[in-house]
DNA sequence: GCCTTATAGTTTGATATCAAACTTTTTATG
DNA sequence: CATAAAAAGTTTGATATCAAACTATAAGGC
C-alpha cells in the first residue's frame, strides 16, 4: 500500500482544516483573525483563564508568538490580561464579554468541521483513527 | 470545541513532523532552510523539473510564496530557473548538481520520519490509517 | 487578424511565527 | 540571607506566508 505519504497527507488535511476554520469564522463575522487566534479564544472559552505559557503549550507555539496573538485579541476586545496575584511574573488571560459571546459560533464551527471531516465514517473507524493518530503523535 | 478532536491531533503531528524535518536537515548540513524548502527540493529531486504553478499545487502554498521560496533556493545554489520553451509565461525549476547531491540526505530523512512515526504499529494499522486519512482528506 | 479572457509569475504590503537576547520575579542553594 | 539559577513574558529582527494588484504571454471567439 501507499502508506509512505502519511505525513504528507496529514499536512494537507491540516492545511485544509485551517482554511475551513478561517472561512467559517469570517462567515460568522469573526473577521481579521487567523486560526491561531481561534485556537486561543476556543481554549479560553472552554477551559477558562490561562497564562501565556499555558496557551503556548496548548496551541503549540512559541511564547513570543503568544505575546503577539494575545495582543491582537486584546486590541480587538475579545480578551483581557491581568497580572497573576501570587506570582507577579505570570499574566492571566481571560475572555471579555465580547469574547465569551463567541462561544455559540465556536461550537457551531467545531461541529461543522467534525461533521464534514467524518462524513461516511463509522464510529469504529473514528475510534480507530483517533487511537492510531494518538500513537503517531506519541511517537514524534 | 473538544481539544481531542482529530483535527487538533493532526495539527500537533504536523507541527512535530515539521520540527523534526528542520532538525534533521540541519543535522545534515542543510542549514537555513525551512520545511517548505525541503518539500520543494524533494519534489524536484524525485519528480524532475517543475513549473512554479506545479510546485505551488504540490506543496499547497500560494504561488507568490513559491516565488520567494524558489528565490532563496536559487540564491543558495540548489536550484535554477529557466523560461519554458514553447510557453514563455512559464518558468521551469530544476535542481543543480548541488541540489541533486542532497538526494541521499532526503531519502534518509524520509526513512527516519517514517520509522519514527510508525514505531509499534502493524502493517494492517498503517494501511488502515492511510485509508482513513485519505477519506478525511477527500471530505475536506 | 483583433480583442477579450485566461494563465503564469512577480511585486507589494501585511501578518504569523520563531529564535535569541533581555527584564522581572521567583525559587533554590550554600 | 545572598546570590545563582530558573521561570514568565516581552522585544527585536528575520522569514514564511497570504492576498491583492500587477505584468506578460497565450488561447479563443468574432
Amino acid at each position: 500500500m501507499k502508506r509512505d505519504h502519511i505525513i504528507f497527507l496529514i499536512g494537507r488535511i491540516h492545511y485544509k482544516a485551517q482554511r475551513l476554520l478561517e472561512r467559517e469564522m469570517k462567515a460568522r463575522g469573526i473577521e481579521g483573525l487567523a486560526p491561531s487566534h481561534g485556537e486561543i479564544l476556543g481554549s479560553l472559552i472552554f477551559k477558562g483563564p490561562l497564562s501565556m505559557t499555558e496557551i503556548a503549550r496548548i496551541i503549540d507555539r512559541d511564547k513570543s508568538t503568544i505575546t503577539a496573538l494575545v495582543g491582537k485579541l486584546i486590541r480587538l476586545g475579545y480578551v483581557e490580561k491581568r497580572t497573576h496575584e501570587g506570582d507577579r511574573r505570570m499574566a492571566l488571560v481571560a475572555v471579555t464579554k465580547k469574547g465569551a459571546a463567541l462561544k455559540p459560533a465556536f461550537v457551531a464551527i467545531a461541529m461543522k468541521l467534525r461533521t464534514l471531516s467524518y462524513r461516511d465514517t463509522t464510529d469504529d473507524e473514528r475510534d480507530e483513527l483517533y487511537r492510531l493518530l494518538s500513537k503517531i503523535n506519541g511517537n514524534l
Side-chain angles (χ1 to χ4, degrees), chain A:
Chain A
M1 276 289 135
K2 293 183 304 179
R3 35 186 148 72
D4 312 76
H5 303 354
I6 188 186
I7 295 296
F8 174 69
L9 250 183
I10 283 176
R12 289 190 70 97
I13 293 172
H14 179 66
Y15 177 78
K16 289 182 182 176
Q18 297 282 97
R19 296 286 126 174
L20 187 141
L21 289 177
E22 264 175 329
R23 276 202 312 277
E24 292 295 325
M25 288 198 296
K26 196 169 186 175
R28 286 170 173 78
I30 314 171
E31 206 131 1
L33 293 190
S36 298
H37 298 113
E39 290 186 67
I40 293 178
L41 277 171
S43 300
L44 294 173
I45 287 174
F46 293 102
K47 292 179 198 286
L50 298 168
S51 72
M52 302 294 277
T53 299
E54 286 170 322
I55 294 173
R57 183 182 46 75
I58 291 173
I59 78 164
D60 241 328
R61 298 293 132 76
D62 191 86
K63 51 196 176 128
S64 61
T65 302
I66 308 302
T67 300
L69 294 172
V70 167
K72 180 167 189 175
L73 289 173
I74 290 173
R75 278 199 307 283
L76 293 174
Y78 291 119
V79 309
E80 55 192 8
K81 191 159 63 170
R82 279 194 311 274
T83 303
H84 187 282
E85 310 150 25
D87 188 339
R88 301 213 316 241
R89 290 172 303 181
M90 289 169 63
L92 270 191
V93 184
V95 286
T96 59
K97 275 186 185 158
K98 182 178 175 185
L102 296 179
K103 186 168 183 174
F106 275 87
V107 172
I109 291 173
M111 171 97 72
K112 180 157 189 172
L113 178 58
R114 193 183 169 78
T115 305
L116 192 62
S117 55
Y118 275 152
R119 194 177 51 195
D120 289 332
T121 59
T122 67
D123 282 353
D124 283 350
E125 284 177 331
R126 297 173 188 194
D127 288 345
E128 181 68 356
L129 180 55
Y130 184 77
R131 187 183 70 79
L132 290 172
L133 285 176
S134 297
K135 185 176 264 186
I136 305 292
N137 185 45
N139 284 344
L140 291 177

